[in-house]
Amino acid sequence: MKNSKTKLVELTTENITEYKSVLGAEAAENIVRKYYRGIALHEASNMSLLAVLLWEKKQQTAEISAFYMKDDEAGKALLAAYKEAIFAEDMTDTVIELPAEGSEAVCSLLREMGFHLQERESNEICLSVDELSQLPVMETQNVTSEIRSIGSLTLPQMQKGLIRAHFGNKTGKMLTDLTALPVSWFEPDISCCVLQEGIVNGLLLIHKTETDRLAVQLMYIEQNLSQVYILRMIQFAVKRAREKYPADTQVVVKCCNPEIKAFTEKLFRKKSEQIVIRGEKSER
């Protein structure tokens, strides 16, 4: 537990820069988002960092996206403070995903703390812009005037489109905070939509991360539309990305459920190459 020799600090947009080197820039930038939380444990005397973690609130589950500890004692103390924090928001379960390599000390502590750990294939699929442009899906261009960049939309059109996607997405939500994110979170030139009679009926949203990766955030079409519109938006986005970014720019799709994973692997002809450790624990 935290004691007089340590100090607990809440992560905010004002102090997050201090923790980027241990959390990773892509994880750290999420602190601006509605459901992300983070805490750090410091030595009270000199404020040296002992441990830090970042998590996302997903209904009653907290999903830890980054965890650093100097040693087991610091890790245990921070996890105890974390448990108090998630209880205060009525969360009862924790999941965590770590790279398989380099996480031995953390995994050992998590097992000791009651986590069930499994090695598995990552849900993240990564291809370069050049690889995407050479896929079979790009051979027959079906892009029509209905496919537009989101940068060409008016703000009301975009906002209404986000609301429709939030409540009607049939291809799987990737964002719990879709309607709370600023439009600027999405890359305006390669993120695109299906615009029919002034109404946004489909969205392919992409975020440019702080490490210059292009992360797919959402694929959505209205229930009455053919899935061919997903392909058309992908073709539009890949073509624009090829024009705007270097060929080796990485495009990342993080699949949120087995159905989306199967669809994505079939579409992009690629499986994840990364092995991760996934941990789960009931905090009740």
Side-chain angles (χ1 to χ4, degrees):
M1 263 304 186
K2 185 176 79 72
N3 55 50
S4 60
K5 294 182 179 180
T6 61
K7 181 177 181 180
L8 199 63
V9 176
E10 181 182 354
L11 304 192
T12 67
T13 54
E14 286 74 28
N15 65 20
I16 193 64
T17 302
E18 301 173 30
Y19 304 100
K20 280 185 181 180
S21 62
V22 291
L23 291 175
E26 287 191 12
E29 70 175 329
N30 285 312
I31 200 64
V32 303
R33 296 171 60 180
K34 182 177 181 180
Y35 297 112
Y36 276 81
R37 313 282 189 269
I39 51 176
L41 190 70
H42 292 261
E43 287 275 9
S45 58
N46 57 17
M47 289 302 289
S48 62
L49 182 63
L50 297 174
V52 59
L53 63 77
L54 182 74
W55 72 91
E56 181 183 8
K57 179 181 180 181
K58 292 187 173 181
Q59 296 180 334
Q60 289 185 295
T61 298
E63 187 169 307
I64 297 176
S65 53
F67 180 29
Y68 161 82
M69 64 180 194
K70 184 178 179 180
D71 52 39
D72 280 6
E73 183 182 359
K76 287 179 182 178
L78 190 62
L79 285 172
Y82 154 79
K83 188 170 182 175
E84 290 181 7
I86 66 169
F87 272 15
E89 291 197 277
D90 299 319
M91 288 178 276
T92 58
D93 299 282
T94 295
V95 296
I96 184 171
E97 192 167 283
L98 302 164
E101 293 185 9
S103 302
E104 292 82 4
V106 171
C107 287
S108 178
L109 175 65
L110 291 175
R111 287 190 184 94
E112 183 182 340
M113 300 293 287
F115 280 81
H116 173 65
L117 303 182
Q118 281 185 308
E119 190 175 277
R120 70 176 211 180
E121 184 184 275
S122 171
N123 284 332
E124 188 174 281
I125 296 173
C126 190
L127 299 95
S128 69
V129 167
D130 185 58
E131 286 176 313
L132 281 168
S133 67
Q134 295 181 44
L135 289 175
V137 70
M138 294 300 297
E139 290 176 1
T140 304
Q141 295 290 318
N142 295 314
V143 177
T144 67
S145 60
E146 293 175 309
I147 311 300
R148 309 278 188 88
S149 69
I150 66 166
S152 69
L153 298 176
T154 65
L155 185 58
Q157 282 177 324
M158 182 64 183
Q159 290 173 333
K160 289 177 182 178
L162 291 174
I163 292 170
R164 288 170 71 86
H166 180 73
F167 290 106
N169 187 11
K170 74 176 182 179
T171 53
K173 289 185 180 66
M174 293 184 186
L175 299 175
T176 55
D177 55 350
L178 179 61
T179 56
L181 283 166
V183 174
S184 59
W185 182 259
F186 307 112
E187 211 281 4
D189 298 321
I190 60 175
S191 295
C192 55
C193 68
V194 180
L195 188 68
Q196 298 174 320
E197 298 181 357
I199 298 172
V200 175
N201 286 323
L203 283 166
L204 173 57
L205 298 178
I206 298 166
H207 169 64
K208 184 181 178 183
T209 73
E210 287 203 12
T211 57
D212 293 329
R213 298 202 304 172
L214 300 173
V216 176
Q217 306 281 279
L218 181 83
M219 288 188 289
Y220 146 77
I221 52 171
E222 279 291 302
Q223 294 278 356
N224 61 337
L225 290 186
S226 164
Q227 289 218 352
V228 72
Y229 281 96
I230 290 285
L231 300 181
R232 289 175 180 174
M233 288 191 292
I234 289 170
Q235 290 171 338
F236 179 96
V238 172
K239 183 175 183 295
R240 285 289 183 93
R242 192 176 183 182
E243 293 168 353
K244 185 172 181 179
Y245 293 100
D248 61 352
T249 300
Q250 296 297 296
V251 179
V252 185
V253 183
K254 189 165 185 178
C255 307
C256 56
N257 59 49
E259 291 75 21
I260 298 300
K261 193 170 192 295
F263 171 77
T264 304
E265 288 179 352
K266 181 179 179 180
L267 183 65
F268 297 137
R269 303 286 180 91
K270 186 172 183 177
K271 294 173 70 70
S272 176
E273 298 173 347
Q274 184 181 9
I275 300 299
V276 298
I277 304 295
R278 183 176 176 85
E280 299 179 357
K281 182 188 177 186
S282 171
E283 303 286 1
R284 293 186 184 91

